[in-house]
């Protein structure tokens, strides 16, 4: 049971920082609350008494959503469901709709926020691999010496371990900025114990852009979660794939590469099997999506061969 | 504690209330406003029984801090129909038989309403996807999906409104006709009150202190600090039991509250009542219990060994019940057999996971009758046991069975009703207890884990000559239904097969695990799993088709069972024929198949789970064509 004496709902960053300063050490930030409330139950944290909860989900700046041709800027309180139903976001972040549809369920996605998913820093946090693949940067803000100061940290550096980040106690995650990758083919793979409402055992985000001839990769971005303490980019696979044609043999070779990275605490053999399968299916789906139905016949044949 | 001021529109009415800041929207709707159509099944966003619309968006209200409701417009299941009427969707749930226990149904109706609002032409796959956050344990979901499809079609004019109406009885008879359930309207509308929805004036809330140890002697319990807490109206322990303590379905070995020692993690040790559930919960921490831990045993076989820790003085061998069955001479049968097959099978503990966690409301009425309202599956037996425990004549004990939000056998044991009675007697006020999901899982009976040693002797043509079966079940810390489960497991252990020589032993054993009890099939599942798996292995060894080996041995009309019951009519062969046909069984011994089985996949087979039906829709694939 989550017990608080006071629940504050600031409507501006100024108000939020004032509340944080006033209740330093005795407060906790809440946005969607979809992880906080289940956490404060028997078997996890048990009854938790926090003097003051500060709800940042009503701060307009944290709901900002902008996508131009190059960059996307997302307020930290953006609900996960927007990746599914906002066409501008879906176009700029091609792996995110699939990520969102596997995330919890329709109801929880309306409350759960992308910022919350990031600061939770779960090794299996679903929203993290796709954003890493977009070279996301998080914007952190604090009020120091009377004025609001901001800094930007690459997402891959922000998350330092299971549940740990470089967020300072007086800081808030206010926004995420990342590359807009319209025209890329995106895919997202996830497996858990059932279809809805599960934590990923492994999740994988793939984003690819084909070259003009449609036979090689112009760009490949891969990021994976659930196989170690933090989600990570698969840079070695990316550079391998970038240096040759898209063929069945090369995709199979690439799919086997991250298998050795599995360093989870449990179920390593199972995860190794999954990783290879996810890599193949994720790459194939992403290539097909990138091709938009105009794959060269030999590439289409090759993809079929990999599936068989 | 600065209270929040919540102003909102709920089901079309303006509401302005003070609310404690730690409440969830679910608490506010249920406890402060009385909208109990939203249920609490898990409190962790997993089950969907609490779904409500907030500003038109469906949310799980157990995950919404009440402060977020400020200034919003909220719609609960009670607000869907107008003036007590049912919406088309609710009528469709009624018609399709989509409600059984009903506890998940308000949430299902809300999620289905949201699905059809989002896409009035949603296909069955899309409906499934959009209802993914809601769990049902009774219906198997198909009736629910049928109902949503029916509502969709009626609303779109594809089926007439009369499709929602009661079908005429066939030739005036209701047998064979699809009859709507009489109690469904109360379930689909959220009107039905389960025990946890009921309130009485001046009602107290009960919170329970539970054992952290699997096996420990209780040296002392000091409740004085808890009793001194402002707002605490009563504290009870085993000393408050006035009569002969002990309940159980077969053996009365379980005290209302731990007496002298605790035997499993989660066993109730003390309980506190207060008008404010938070006060009661916090006061639990003020109860001082001194334990002296004892060696514990967690494995049924270990518990049967000499020198194992003893749970109950009356059973120094830790055996709850041993059921032996002897038919013919198994050793002779094995000697005559061409083939002996020996294997070991085990099954695991299983939680019932009914959507309604245990709840009850007790009061002492104006005539001094101790009254307990709870979803008990066995109220008459509970009444007799409680009468002895509280030393009251049977005329002064009354049990009222509230709607059972799923039981499956798990609500046969009187695990909490005694505490409610004691507290109502002590405080002379109505007392309510509602388990959290975690309490329900930790403290109530489970399906018996089992370990079966199977030895079977067969002739080369597949006839079974002899079977020796030993099934050892972990009964956990208390007897509950173990004896009955062992009886049924023994009766059915050798399956519906005519076997001339049979030796069966089933053992229910005390351990320091969570007690095992009744669960659908009541012992049959464990032994049938062993028998049927064993027959498949025997078929493989003999080069026989698995159906064939069963037909050779199946009991036929007039057969006598292993416990000497003559069966006038046996449907076994017909059931085998039907199963073989619908499964499109590929005939042959298990060893005869190559790499590919032709009877897998195909029509009627469930495809693997996928998501993303709505992507197909947005890509131009017309969901209407799927509908039509």
């Amino acid at each position: 049971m989550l017990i608080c004496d006071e629940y504050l709902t600031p409507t501006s960053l100024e108000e939020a920082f004032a509340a944080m300063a006033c209740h330093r050490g005795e407060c906790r930030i809440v946005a969607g609350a979809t992880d906080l409330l289940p956490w404060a139950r028997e078997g996890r944290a048990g009854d938790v008494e926090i003097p003051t909860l500060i709800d940042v989900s009503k701060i307009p700046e944290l709901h900002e959503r902008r996508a131009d041709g190059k960059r996307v800027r997302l307020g930290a309180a953006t609900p996960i469901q927007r990746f599914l139903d906002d066409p501008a976001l879906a176009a700029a972040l091609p792996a995110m709709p699939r990520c969102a549809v596997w995330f919890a369920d329709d109801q929880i996605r309306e409350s759960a926020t992308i910022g919350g998913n990031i600061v939770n820093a779960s090794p299996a946090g679903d929203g993290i691999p796709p954003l890493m693949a977009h070279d996301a940067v998080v914007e952190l803000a604090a009020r120091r010496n009377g004025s609001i100061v901001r800094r930007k940290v690459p997402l891959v550096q922000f998350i330092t371990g299971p549940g740990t980040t470089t967020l300072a106690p007086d800081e808030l995650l206010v926004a995420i900025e990342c590359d807009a990758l319209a025209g890329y083919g995106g895919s997202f793979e996830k497996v858990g114990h059932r279809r809805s409402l599960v934590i990923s055992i492994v999740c994988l985000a793939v984003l690819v852009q084909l070259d003009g001839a449609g036979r090689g990769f112009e760009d490949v971005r891969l990021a994976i979660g659930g196989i170690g303490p933090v989600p990570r980019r698969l840079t070695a696979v990316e550079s391998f794939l970038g240096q040759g044609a898209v063929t069945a043999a090369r995709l199979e070779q690439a799919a086997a590469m991250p298998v050795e990275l599995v360093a989870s605490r449990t179920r390593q053999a199972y995860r190794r099997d999954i990783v290879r399968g996810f890599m193949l299916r994720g790459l194939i789906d992403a290539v097909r999506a990138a091709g938009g139905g105009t794959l060269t016949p030999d590439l289409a044949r090759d993809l079929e061969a990999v599936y068989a | 504690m600065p209270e929040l001021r919540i102003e909102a529109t709920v089901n079309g009415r303006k509401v302005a209330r003070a609310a404690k800041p730690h409440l969830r929207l679910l608490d506010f709707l249920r406890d402060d406003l009385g909208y109990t159509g939203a249920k609490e099944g898990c409190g962790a966003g997993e089950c969907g029984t609490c779904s409500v619309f907030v500003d038109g968006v469906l949310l799980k209200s157990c995950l919404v801090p009440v402060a977020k409701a400020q200034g919003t417009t909220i719609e609960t299941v009670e607000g869907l129909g107008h003036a007590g009427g049912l919406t088309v969707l609710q009528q469709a749930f009624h018609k399709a038989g989509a409600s059984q226990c009903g506890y998940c149904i308000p949430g299902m109706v809300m999620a289905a309403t949201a699905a059809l609002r989002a896409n009035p032409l949603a296909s069955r796959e899309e409906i499934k996807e959009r209802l993914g956050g809601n769990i049902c344990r009774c219906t198997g979901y198909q009736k629910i999906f049928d109902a949503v499809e029916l509502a969709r079609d009626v609303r779109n004019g594809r089926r007439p409104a009369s499709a929602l109406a009661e079908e005429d009885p066939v030739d005036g008879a209701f047998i064979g006709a699809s009859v709507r359930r009489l109690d469904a309207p109360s379930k689909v509308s959220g009107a039905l009150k389960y025990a946890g929805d009921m309130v009485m004036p001046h009602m107290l809330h009960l919170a329970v202190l539970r054992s952290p140890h699997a096996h420990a002697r209780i040296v002392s319990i000091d409740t004085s600090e808890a009793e001194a807490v402002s707002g605490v109206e009563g504290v009870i322990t085993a000393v408050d039991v006035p009569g002969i303590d002990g309940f159980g379905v077969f053996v009365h070995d379980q005290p209302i509250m731990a007496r002298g020692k605790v035997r499993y993690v989660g066993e109730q040790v003390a309980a506190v009542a207060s008008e404010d559930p938070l006060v009661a919960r916090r006061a639990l921490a003020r109860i001082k219990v001194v334990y002296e831990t004892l060696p514990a045993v967690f494995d049924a076989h270990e518990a049967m060994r000499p020198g194992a820790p003893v749970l109950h003085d009356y059973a120094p061998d830790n055996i709850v019940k041993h059921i032996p069955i002897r038919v013919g001479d198994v050793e002779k049968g094995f000697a005559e057999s061409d083939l002996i097959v020996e294997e070991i099978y085990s099954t695991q503990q299983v939680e019932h996971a009914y959507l309604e966690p245990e709840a009850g409301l007790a009061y002492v009425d104006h005539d001094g009758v101790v009254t307990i309202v709870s979803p008990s599956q066995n109220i008459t037996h509970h009444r007799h046991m409680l009468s002895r425990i509280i030393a009251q004549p049977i005329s002064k004990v009354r049990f009222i069975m509230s709607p059972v939000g799923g039981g499956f056998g798990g609500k046969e044991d009187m695990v909490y009703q005694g505490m409610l009675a004691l507290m109502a007697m002590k405080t002379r006020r109505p007392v309510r207890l509602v388990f959290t999901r975690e309490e329900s899982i930790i403290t109530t009976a489970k399906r018996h884990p089992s370990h079966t040693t199977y030895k079977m002797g067969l002739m080369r043509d597949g006839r079974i000559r002899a079977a020796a079966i030993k099934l050892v079940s972990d009964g956990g810390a208390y007897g509950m239904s173990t004896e009955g489960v062992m009886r049924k497991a023994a009766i059915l252990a050798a399956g519906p097969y005519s076997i001339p020589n049979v030796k069966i032993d089933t053992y229910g054993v005390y351990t320091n695990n969570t007690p095992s009890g009744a669960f659908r099939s009541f012992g049959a599942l464990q032994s049938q799993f062993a028998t049927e798996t064993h027959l498949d292995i025997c078929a493989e060894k003999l080069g026989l088709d698995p159906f064939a080996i069963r037909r050779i041995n199946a009991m036929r009309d007039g057969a006598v069972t292993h416990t000497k019951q003559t069966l006038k009519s046996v449907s076994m062969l017909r059931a085998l024929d039907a199963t073989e046909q619908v499964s499109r069984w590929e005939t042959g011994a298990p060893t005869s198949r190559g790499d590919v089985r032709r009877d897998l996949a195909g029509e009627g087979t469930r495809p693997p789970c996928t998501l993303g039906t709505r992507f197909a829709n947005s890509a131009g694939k017309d969901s209407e064509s799927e509908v039509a």
Side-chain angles (χ1 to χ4, degrees):
Chain A
M1 191 175 182
L2 184 66
I3 304 157
C4 64
D5 297 328
E6 194 176 23
Y7 192 105
L8 303 174
T9 309
T11 53
S12 68
L13 273 184
E14 279 292 347
E15 271 181 48
F17 288 127
M20 286 165 71
C22 183
H23 300 281
R24 180 155 298 164
E26 299 189 318
C27 66
R28 187 165 165 146
I29 305 300
V30 50
T34 57
D35 199 71
L36 193 63
L37 282 164
W39 165 76
R41 291 184 69 87
E42 294 153 64
R44 292 186 70 191
D47 286 356
V48 177
E49 304 219 14
I50 299 171
T52 302
L53 289 175
I54 302 173
D55 185 333
V56 295
S57 68
K58 295 287 191 289
I59 301 172
E61 186 184 330
L62 268 61
H63 283 276
E64 201 182 357
R65 285 207 303 278
R66 272 200 325 247
D68 60 28
K70 288 196 161 167
R71 298 287 283 173
V72 178
R73 185 178 165 87
L74 290 170
T78 302
I80 302 292
Q81 190 77 340
R82 297 297 83 79
F83 296 108
L84 202 53
D85 61 18
D86 179 339
L89 285 189
L93 306 166
M96 277 311 264
R98 288 274 168 190
C99 169
V101 84
W102 285 106
F103 189 109
D105 66 34
D106 277 88
Q107 301 172 50
I108 290 174
R109 291 197 293 266
E110 290 285 2
S111 297
T113 66
I114 189 64
N117 196 235
I118 291 172
V119 293
N120 262 347
S122 161
D126 283 338
I128 298 167
L131 289 177
M132 280 186 170
H134 277 268
D135 284 333
V137 170
V138 293
E139 185 175 303
L140 313 174
R143 192 177 65 175
R144 290 174 189 155
N145 303 322
S147 61
I148 291 179
V149 292
R150 295 168 191 259
R151 64 182 176 122
K152 289 184 181 178
V153 182
L155 181 56
V156 287
Q157 288 166 24
F158 179 66
I159 298 172
T160 52
T164 59
T165 66
T166 62
L167 190 74
D170 65 342
E171 277 181 320
L172 281 178
L173 169 57
V174 293
I176 297 107
E177 286 186 4
C178 68
D179 294 341
L181 300 178
Y184 276 57
S187 68
F188 184 82
E189 298 285 343
K190 165 172 174 171
V191 66
H193 289 112
R194 67 188 196 98
R195 176 154 66 173
S196 299
L197 295 164
V198 288
I199 294 170
S200 287
I201 294 170
V202 176
C203 56
L204 174 78
V206 184
L207 287 158
V208 303
Q209 188 182 32
L210 297 178
D211 63 16
R215 199 57 243 228
F217 286 120
E218 184 73 37
D219 190 14
V220 190
R221 299 165 176 225
L222 297 155
I224 194 162
I227 64 163
V230 291
R232 55 175 292 166
R233 279 286 285 268
L234 299 173
T235 43
V237 189
E238 292 173 3
S239 56
F240 167 77
L241 283 171
Q243 289 158 15
V246 187
T247 64
R250 285 179 55 77
L251 290 183
E252 280 173 6
Q253 212 178 327
M257 288 173 71
V259 170
E260 62 174 27
L261 299 177
V262 173
S264 53
R265 284 174 304 164
T266 58
R267 304 177 78 184
Q268 291 199 358
Y270 177 63
R271 285 186 164 91
R272 286 194 193 98
D273 281 350
I274 293 175
V275 165
R276 196 181 155 275
F278 274 10
M279 285 287 292
L280 272 182
R281 192 167 67 187
L283 281 164
I284 290 168
D285 288 353
V287 168
R288 283 185 174 153
T294 56
L295 294 181
T296 60
D298 52 339
L299 178 54
R301 247 192 331 271
D302 257 22
L303 296 185
E304 285 298 330
V306 177
Y307 252 135
Chain B
M1 194 183 274
E3 294 214 323
L4 297 165
R5 177 89 181 155
I6 304 295
E7 292 177 15
T9 303
V10 183
N11 292 335
R13 307 291 305 163
K14 294 268 185 217
V15 166
R17 296 269 183 138
K20 295 199 171 94
H22 71 275
L23 294 185
R24 305 160 303 168
L25 175 57
L26 178 63
D27 306 315
F28 182 68
L29 291 172
R30 287 176 55 83
D31 301 335
D32 293 3
L33 303 181
Y35 289 113
T36 55
K39 312 292 181 197
E40 178 158 3
C42 70
E46 298 282 351
C47 77
T49 55
C50 66
S51 303
V52 300
F53 288 103
V54 178
D55 287 338
V57 174
L58 195 69
L59 299 178
K60 290 179 165 172
S61 60
C62 77
L63 295 184
V64 179
V66 68
K68 288 181 184 285
Q70 168 57 29
T72 61
T73 297
I74 294 166
E75 203 179 354
T76 72
V77 70
E78 290 95 337
L80 293 181
H82 294 287
L86 299 181
T87 64
V88 166
L89 184 71
Q90 287 167 323
Q91 292 173 58
F93 268 66
H94 184 195
K95 175 62 190 287
S99 68
Q100 286 190 35
C101 87
Y103 201 82
C104 75
I105 292 302
M108 284 288 180
V109 166
M110 296 300 279
T113 302
L116 293 183
R117 281 181 186 173
N119 182 4
L121 298 172
S123 67
R124 193 174 179 99
E125 279 308 310
E126 184 173 341
I127 291 164
K128 284 184 192 175
E129 193 174 307
R130 290 186 184 272
L131 266 55
N134 292 62
I135 295 173
C136 171
R137 288 283 289 162
C138 305
T139 68
Y141 300 101
Q142 302 312 313
K143 298 282 184 194
I144 291 170
F145 301 142
D146 290 347
V148 186
E149 287 197 284
L150 173 59
R152 174 200 65 202
D153 291 351
V154 169
R155 291 191 349 180
N156 292 317
R158 291 170 197 280
R159 280 193 252 182
S162 61
L164 299 167
E166 179 90 273
E167 282 170 29
D168 290 332
V170 179
D171 298 331
F174 282 97
I175 294 173
S178 178
V179 181
R180 294 188 305 186
R181 286 178 69 115
L182 292 174
D183 63 357
S186 71
K187 291 171 176 171
V188 302
S189 65
L192 185 65
K193 298 278 186 194
Y194 297 82
D197 301 331
M198 296 175 187
V199 290
M200 289 184 81
H202 310 297
M203 181 179 84
L204 302 174
H205 295 271
L206 200 68
V208 183
L209 182 70
R210 300 186 175 281
S211 166
H213 301 294
H215 203 189
R217 193 172 74 83
I218 298 173
V219 178
S220 62
I221 305 177
D222 178 0
T223 59
S224 56
E225 252 190 57
E227 289 185 68
V229 171
S230 165
V232 167
E233 299 294 333
V235 180
I236 52 167
T237 66
V239 300
D240 293 290
V241 175
I244 302 163
D245 204 355
F247 67 90
V249 179
F250 291 88
V251 51
H252 296 172
D253 60 353
Q254 184 163 7
I256 296 299
M257 325 212 61
R259 180 175 292 278
K261 69 173 186 172
V262 291
R263 296 179 175 87
Y264 73 99
V265 173
E267 182 166 2
Q268 52 251 31
V269 175
V272 176
S274 169
E275 275 184 21
D276 183 343
L278 185 55
V279 169
R281 215 177 155 89
R282 281 174 159 163
L284 294 180
R286 306 282 190 98
I287 298 174
K288 293 182 187 126
V289 185
V290 178
Y291 294 99
E292 177 193 318
T293 55
L294 298 170
V297 59
F298 302 104
D299 177 85
H301 287 93
E302 278 176 29
M304 290 168 84
R305 290 194 192 116
V310 173
L311 274 85
H312 296 268
D313 293 340
Y314 93 92
D317 55 0
N318 285 328
I319 303 286
V320 186
K321 197 70 190 177
H322 167 213
I323 304 290
I325 294 174
R326 302 288 183 269
V327 180
D329 179 346
V330 282
E331 291 311 323
K332 187 164 160 278
F334 289 138
E336 293 163 0
S337 299
D338 295 327
L339 176 71
I340 304 286
V341 180
E342 289 188 79
E343 293 288 346
I344 292 171
Y345 304 92
S346 62
T347 62
Q348 78 282 25
Q349 186 184 58
V350 184
E351 157 66 18
H352 304 76
Y354 22 74
L355 265 288
E356 179 208 23
E358 288 75 1
L361 176 60
Y363 54 94
V364 182
D365 80 1
H366 43 264
D367 291 323
V369 177
V370 178
T371 308
I372 296 101
V373 185
S374 72
S376 156
Q377 292 182 268
N378 205 350
I379 53 172
T380 305
H381 188 222
H382 289 185
R383 184 176 176 225
H384 284 96
M385 290 191 294
L386 190 64
S387 152
R388 207 175 55 139
I389 292 166
I390 62 173
Q392 291 286 320
I394 194 85
S395 59
K396 293 293 181 193
V397 181
R398 187 179 183 208
F399 267 84
I400 298 172
M401 186 178 177
S402 58
V404 181
F408 320 132
K411 290 173 180 167
E412 283 195 12
D413 301 290
M414 200 180 72
V415 289
Y416 59 95
Q417 289 88 343
M419 287 192 287
L420 280 167
L422 291 182
M423 190 60 92
M425 291 163 69
K426 189 162 187 174
T427 59
R428 293 281 148 173
R429 290 176 67 169
V431 185
R432 194 177 81 180
L433 169 63
V434 182
F435 275 13
T436 62
R437 173 57 56 187
E438 291 86 345
E439 270 182 303
S440 175
I441 290 175
I442 289 166
T443 68
T444 64
K446 306 283 172 279
R447 187 189 291 287
H448 286 77
S450 74
H451 180 280
T452 304
T453 315
Y454 222 106
K455 180 177 179 182
M456 188 176 267
L458 302 100
M459 304 309 289
R460 211 160 277 120
D461 62 8
R463 280 176 299 142
I464 306 169
R465 290 298 303 161
I469 302 151
K470 182 183 174 190
L471 180 145
V472 175
S473 269
D474 182 346
Y478 290 101
M480 296 198 167
S481 296
T482 291
E483 179 175 334
V485 171
M486 289 308 100
R487 285 187 186 282
K488 193 157 175 203
I491 292 166
L492 300 172
Y497 302 106
S498 291
I499 306 173
N501 306 293
V502 176
K503 177 177 183 247
I504 296 165
D505 292 279
T506 61
Y507 296 88
V509 185
Y510 283 123
T511 68
N512 293 108
N513 291 323
T514 309
S516 303
F519 196 146
R520 284 184 170 185
S521 91
F522 210 68
L525 180 140
Q526 290 91 332
S527 54
Q528 279 165 6
F529 170 71
T531 303
E532 300 304 331
T533 311
H534 200 74
L535 277 178
D536 287 343
I537 291 169
C538 293
E540 186 169 341
K541 289 188 189 293
L542 290 166
L544 288 171
D545 180 272
F547 276 95
I549 196 171
R550 288 171 170 83
R551 286 198 178 91
I552 290 166
N553 294 289
M555 288 180 181
R556 289 162 163 76
D557 291 357
V560 178
T561 67
H562 311 300
T563 46
K564 305 272 191 286
Q565 184 184 357
T566 304
L567 304 176
K568 284 186 208 155
S569 124
V570 181
S571 56
M572 176 80 181
L573 290 175
R574 274 181 289 149
L576 284 173
D577 290 346
T579 309
E580 188 172 24
Q581 197 186 344
V582 298
S583 65
R584 293 184 306 280
W585 183 254
E586 187 186 307
T587 304
T591 45
S592 69
R593 293 192 176 81
D595 293 340
V596 179
R597 285 191 62 156
R598 288 190 305 274
D599 49 4
L600 297 177
E603 194 193 338
T605 312
R606 268 181 65 158
C609 282
T610 55
L611 275 171
T613 316
R614 59 194 100 173
F615 299 134
N617 296 345
S618 60
K621 191 174 153 198
D622 189 356
S623 72
E624 257 187 88
S625 61
E626 289 176 50
V627 171

